[in-house]
């Protein structure tokens, strides 16, 4: 009985005590049974120098974020909390709303950062939308989406050739400055004169709202404060018109979208 008391005491102490052990040498696990050569019960890392388990590393837990916010301003929350933007910071999330053009990510309240495609251009329609996982890497003050931009025309655009698409219908009536921004905010741009002529000639029968009003194109004229409008009476209709912000200097907007 006396021999059993020390053993029972040892068992009781082991069952109810815990400690943090610090060692200054490598730990070498040599048990013949592979199931015993492991460290178990590790909590998920919550510090920059904490140990990450293989399972958590494989699962991508530390890169998964919860999204909130509306429109192009997306708030992301990660666990553990990000304390700074550093090169290589990766995030994955499911969007709650579609976003394109000028989009920002704000991770854990660190402040909004611009988001670009992998080629450095603004986000295009369809890249950020509910139901599709978005993955981005932070580098040099901005986030860059991983993977290529969509290879097909966005909804509402028609393919003209392998290089670009044209918006099917003309849209709002506005100044050249607002028209430029309107297309840009959708991941598109105003068409050049060559693109407009090419598209009008190739897919005219599929376009809507053609030849019922002037449309802005990406061009300026040899006159003070003027830009170029096209498409009023035929594909090659063209005129110079005032670029100053004024109701009399409005025209329709029909954007182009680059495929490469």
């Amino acid at each position: 009985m006396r021999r059993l008391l020390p053993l029972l005491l040892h068992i009781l102490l082991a069952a109810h005590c815990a400690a943090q052990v610090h060692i200054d040498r490598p730990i070498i696990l040599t048990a013949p049974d592979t199931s015993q050569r492991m460290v178990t019960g590790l909590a998920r890392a919550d510090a920059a120098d904490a140990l990450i388990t293989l399972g958590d590393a494989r699962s991508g837990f530390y890169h998964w974020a919860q999204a909130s916010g509306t429109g192009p301003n997306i708030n992301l929350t990660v666990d553990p909390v990000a304390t700074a933007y550093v090169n290589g910071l990766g995030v994955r999330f499911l969007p709650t709303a579609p976003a394109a053009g000028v989009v920002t990510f704000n991770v854990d309240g660190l402040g909004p950062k611009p988001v670009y495609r992998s080629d450095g251009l603004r986000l295009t329609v369809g890249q950020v939308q509910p139901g599709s996982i978005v993955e981005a890497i932070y580098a040099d003050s901005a986030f860059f989406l991983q993977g290529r931009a969509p290879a097909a025309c966005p909804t509402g655009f028609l393919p003209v050739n392998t290089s670009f698409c044209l918006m099917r219908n003309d849209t709002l009536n506005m100044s050249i400055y607002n028209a430029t921004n309107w297309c840009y905010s959708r991941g598109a741009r105003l068409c050049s004169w060559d693109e407009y002529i090419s598209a009008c000639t190739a897919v005219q029968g599929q376009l809507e709202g053609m030849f019922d009003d002037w449309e802005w194109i990406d061009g300026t004229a040899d006159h003070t404060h003027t830009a170029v409008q096209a498409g009023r009476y035929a594909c090659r209709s063209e005129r110079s018109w005032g670029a100053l912000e004024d109701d009399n200097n409005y025209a329709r907007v029909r954007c182009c979208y680059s495929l490469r």
Side-chain angles (χ1 to χ4, degrees):
M1 184 64 179
R2 290 181 179 179
R3 295 180 179 178
L4 292 177
L5 286 176
L7 179 59
L8 291 173
L9 181 60
H10 177 77
I11 293 173
L12 288 173
L13 290 174
H16 296 281
C17 295
Q20 182 70 41
V21 179
H22 297 271
I23 61 175
D24 59 356
R25 294 291 186 273
I27 298 176
I28 302 175
L29 305 179
T30 59
D33 185 350
T34 57
S35 65
Q36 296 180 7
R37 292 200 303 268
M38 64 178 65
V39 178
T40 61
L42 291 176
R44 282 179 165 168
D46 58 2
D49 58 352
L51 184 64
I52 297 178
T53 66
L54 179 59
D56 282 346
R58 283 177 172 170
S59 71
F61 166 82
Y62 297 101
H63 300 287
W64 187 257
Q66 296 297 324
S68 62
T70 58
N73 303 313
I74 301 173
N75 299 318
L76 298 175
T77 302
V78 296
D79 181 17
V81 175
T83 57
Y85 288 118
V86 295
N87 285 343
L89 173 65
V91 292
R92 302 185 190 97
F93 67 96
L94 279 171
T96 58
V102 182
V103 178
T104 62
F105 290 170
N106 187 345
V107 179
D108 288 329
L110 294 174
K113 294 294 183 179
V115 186
Y116 300 98
R117 299 183 341 192
S118 58
D119 56 8
L121 299 177
R122 289 291 186 180
L123 271 58
T124 48
V125 177
Q127 285 191 286
V128 175
Q129 59 184 351
S132 298
I133 295 175
V134 174
E135 182 175 10
I137 301 296
Y138 181 82
D140 297 330
S141 75
F143 281 97
F144 294 86
L145 293 192
Q146 301 304 289
R148 299 179 58 187
C153 297
T155 301
F157 286 75
L158 293 171
V160 177
N161 53 38
T162 58
S163 297
F164 75 101
C165 312
L166 180 69
M167 187 175 287
R168 181 187 298 273
N169 200 350
D170 59 351
T171 55
L172 306 175
N173 214 36
M174 61 184 73
S175 69
I176 181 66
Y177 303 108
N178 288 329
T180 301
N181 185 63
W182 193 86
C183 289
Y184 182 69
S185 67
R186 287 156 177 78
R189 54 182 173 74
L190 288 179
C191 304
S192 68
W193 170 251
D194 291 343
E195 288 174 332
Y196 191 90
I197 294 297
S198 176
C200 183
T201 303
V203 296
Q204 180 184 144
Q206 303 176 64
L207 298 174
E208 300 173 5
M210 291 298 295
F211 312 141
D212 59 2
D213 205 343
W214 290 101
E215 301 179 15
W216 290 114
I217 62 171
D218 183 10
T220 57
D222 294 329
H223 306 283
T224 304
H225 303 308
T226 56
V228 178
Q229 298 174 350
R232 175 63 181 91
Y233 305 104
C235 291
R236 294 186 176 276
S237 296
E238 181 265 347
R239 73 173 183 179
S240 299
W241 202 250
L244 296 177
E245 185 66 43
D246 186 277
D247 291 353
N248 294 323
N249 294 336
Y250 281 12
R252 297 285 182 177
V253 186
R254 193 189 300 269
C255 309
C256 276
Y257 172 85
S258 297
L259 289 174
R260 60 183 183 181

